[in-house]
């Protein structure tokens, strides 16, 4: 999908394009057999994704740091669709302790888990470290989702084995992955203030999302597990993600309005990749505007993906032992 298709909204091979909305790409789908966890499902693209999945009869579990906002999102969704099945669980992706507590509690509920949507994120933050001492964008956008996915993976394997239904993991990446540090990941300076760029740090976390999806996809294929893993670029959408650079983004949007989407359009690719039958068996791919796209060469680097996997495991282990 090129710039012209993005501007015109012309549909691609999937039958959908940049102008398609989440409701349009899921029209007529009954996903009542699915239980889906979506991180950050209480605001921005997340709340629209949660709402549309609920309309498809999914059992939606919103994992959010702000439980009050998540419960308000739940009330809004149930108010629109009385039969909606929506639950809220607390999760702070910037805290390894919180992620482990979330996973333990979810597993104690003995619910199935068909789909995990790693949606939550932060963007363009001033330099700061998480409580675990990890640069906050890398901690929230990559490390948190990496750990959460690993902790829930056995439950997903059990679910697909018991039900015969394909499991899916969706990582929300971004076209911003092309604007990262030299080499893709600052392995030796991941938590250093020196040389920090809020924009490149965000790009680093987003290329990490793609590399994570690709490496996990490879590993699951080798195991013969019926779980797919893909990453998506939702598009340019003005949401609360831009709170650290709202003035700049509004200026850019004024001059590039034809490239931006509204929230229903922004949630379309996530919903499409999460539940559409067209994606059955498709794994290790990157999607934009509901069609397969090609990420940067660094994002497709298998050696870099393996290196990031090993680095992240060691990072989490070092923090856990501290």
């Amino acid at each position: 999908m090129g710039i012209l298709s993005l501007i015109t909204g012309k549909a691609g091979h999937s039958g959908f394009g940049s102008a398609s909305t989440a409701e349009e790409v899921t029209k007529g789908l009954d996903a009542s057999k699915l239980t889906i966890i979506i991180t950050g499902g209480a605001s921005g693209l997340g709340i629209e994704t949660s709402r549309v999945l609920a309309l498809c009869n999914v059992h939606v579990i919103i994992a959010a740091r702000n439980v009050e906002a998540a419960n308000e999102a739940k009330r809004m969704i149930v108010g629109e669709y009385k039969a909606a099945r929506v639950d809220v669980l607390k999760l702070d992706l910037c805290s390894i302790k919180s992620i482990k507590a979330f996973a333990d509690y979810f597993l104690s509920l003995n619910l199935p888990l068909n789909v995990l949507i790693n949606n939550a994120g932060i963007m363009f933050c001033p330099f700061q470290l998480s409580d675990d001492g990890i640069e906050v964008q890398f901690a929230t956008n990559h490390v948190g989702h990496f750990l959460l996915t690993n902790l829930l993976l056995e439950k997903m394997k059990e679910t697909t084995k018991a039900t015969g239904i394909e499991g899916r993991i969706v990582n929300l990446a971004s076209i911003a992955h092309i604007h990262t540090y030299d080499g893709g990941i600052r392995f030796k300076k991941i938590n250093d203030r020196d040389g920090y760029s809020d924009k490149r740090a965000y790009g680093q976390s987003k290329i990490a999302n793609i590399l994570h999806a690709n490496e996990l996809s490879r590993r699951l294929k080798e195991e013969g597990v019926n779980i797919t893993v893909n990453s998506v670029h939702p598009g340019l959408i003005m949401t609360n993600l831009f709170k650290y650079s709202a003035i700049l983004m509004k200026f850019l949007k004024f001059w590039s309005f034809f490239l931006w989407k509204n929230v229903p359009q922004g949630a379309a690719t996530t919903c499409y990749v999460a539940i559409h039958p067209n994606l059955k068996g498709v794994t290790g791919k990157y999607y934009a505007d509901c069609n397969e796209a090609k990420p940067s060469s660094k994002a497709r680097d298998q050696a870099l993906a393996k290196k990031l996997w090993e680095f992240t495991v060691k990072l989490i282990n070092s923090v856990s032992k501290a």
Side-chain angles (χ1 to χ4, degrees):
M1 300 292 284
I3 292 294
L4 184 60
S5 296
L6 174 61
I7 296 172
T8 63
K10 181 181 177 182
H13 292 300
S14 68
F16 305 111
S18 62
S20 301
T21 66
E23 285 197 42
E24 289 170 349
V25 304
T26 58
K27 185 177 181 181
L29 298 183
D30 178 17
S32 56
K33 294 181 179 180
L34 302 183
T35 297
I36 296 181
I37 290 177
I38 174 170
T39 66
S43 63
L45 295 181
I47 191 171
E48 177 66 2
T49 303
S50 297
R51 184 187 74 85
V52 172
L53 292 176
L55 292 177
C56 295
N57 299 309
V58 168
H59 179 191
V60 177
I61 297 173
I62 298 175
R65 181 170 55 182
N66 187 334
V67 174
E68 183 178 346
N71 278 318
E72 181 57 36
K74 175 182 176 179
R75 284 191 288 271
M76 182 273 289
I77 294 169
V78 174
E80 177 184 350
Y81 182 47
K82 302 299 182 185
R85 295 178 294 156
V86 181
D87 287 306
V88 171
L89 294 179
K90 184 174 179 59
L91 171 65
D92 181 357
L93 284 162
C94 204
S95 165
I96 288 177
K97 180 179 178 181
S98 175
I99 296 165
K100 289 181 176 179
F102 171 89
D104 286 344
Y105 184 71
F106 175 77
L107 295 175
S108 75
L109 298 176
N110 200 30
L111 291 169
L113 180 58
N114 304 95
V115 180
L116 173 61
I117 302 177
N118 290 319
N119 164 82
I122 55 176
M123 185 179 190
F124 300 167
C125 307
F127 179 83
Q128 55 185 303
L129 298 179
S130 70
D131 290 342
D132 299 308
I134 305 171
E135 188 275 308
V136 73
Q137 292 193 80
F138 193 72
T140 303
N141 298 350
H142 169 62
V143 176
H145 282 127
F146 181 96
L147 176 59
L148 178 68
T149 302
N150 280 3
L151 293 175
L152 298 177
L153 196 54
E154 285 305 314
K155 169 56 71 173
M156 293 192 71
K157 291 178 182 179
E158 290 172 10
T159 300
T160 190
K161 187 175 181 179
T163 64
I165 299 172
E166 176 184 82
R168 295 186 183 183
I169 297 169
V170 183
N171 280 3
L172 261 76
S174 170
I175 190 65
H177 79 271
I178 65 175
H179 185 64
T180 182
Y181 297 108
D182 291 343
I185 308 290
R186 292 206 308 175
F187 289 108
K188 294 183 179 180
K189 297 182 178 181
I190 202 72
N191 299 323
D192 287 6
R193 182 186 292 272
D194 291 344
Y196 177 80
S197 160
D198 58 348
K199 309 300 187 295
R200 290 187 185 277
Y202 180 70
Q204 173 180 248
S205 71
K206 294 292 102 179
I207 196 172
N209 292 149
I210 301 172
L211 292 167
H212 170 220
N214 291 350
E215 177 62 8
L216 180 55
S217 170
R218 184 190 68 79
R219 289 170 177 246
L220 292 175
K221 283 174 71 175
E222 281 190 356
E223 285 185 47
V225 177
N226 189 24
I227 298 174
T228 65
V229 194
N230 295 291
S231 49
V232 304
H233 165 53
L236 291 171
I237 308 101
M238 188 63 73
T239 68
N240 57 2
L241 257 186
F242 288 109
K243 66 180 180 180
Y244 290 105
S245 55
I247 295 175
L248 173 62
M249 289 302 110
K250 287 178 181 178
F251 174 78
L252 291 176
K253 185 177 181 182
F254 179 80
W255 294 105
S256 59
F257 63 91
F258 48 86
L259 298 176
W260 291 68
K261 297 181 179 183
N262 57 38
V263 170
Q265 293 169 339
T269 304
T270 302
C271 290
Y272 177 72
V273 174
I275 69 170
H276 203 283
N278 282 359
L279 273 289
K280 182 175 175 59
V282 176
T283 189
K285 303 298 183 181
Y286 171 76
Y287 279 78
D289 301 331
C290 299
N291 286 272
E292 186 180 340
K294 181 180 286 189
S296 70
S297 58
K298 281 291 182 186
R300 304 193 308 273
D301 187 327
Q302 292 184 9
L304 184 61
K306 292 179 182 178
K307 183 177 181 180
L308 176 64
W309 185 284
E310 294 166 359
F311 174 83
T312 308
V313 169
K314 290 179 181 177
L315 181 61
I316 292 170
N317 287 340
S318 68
V319 169
S320 299
K321 292 175 183 177

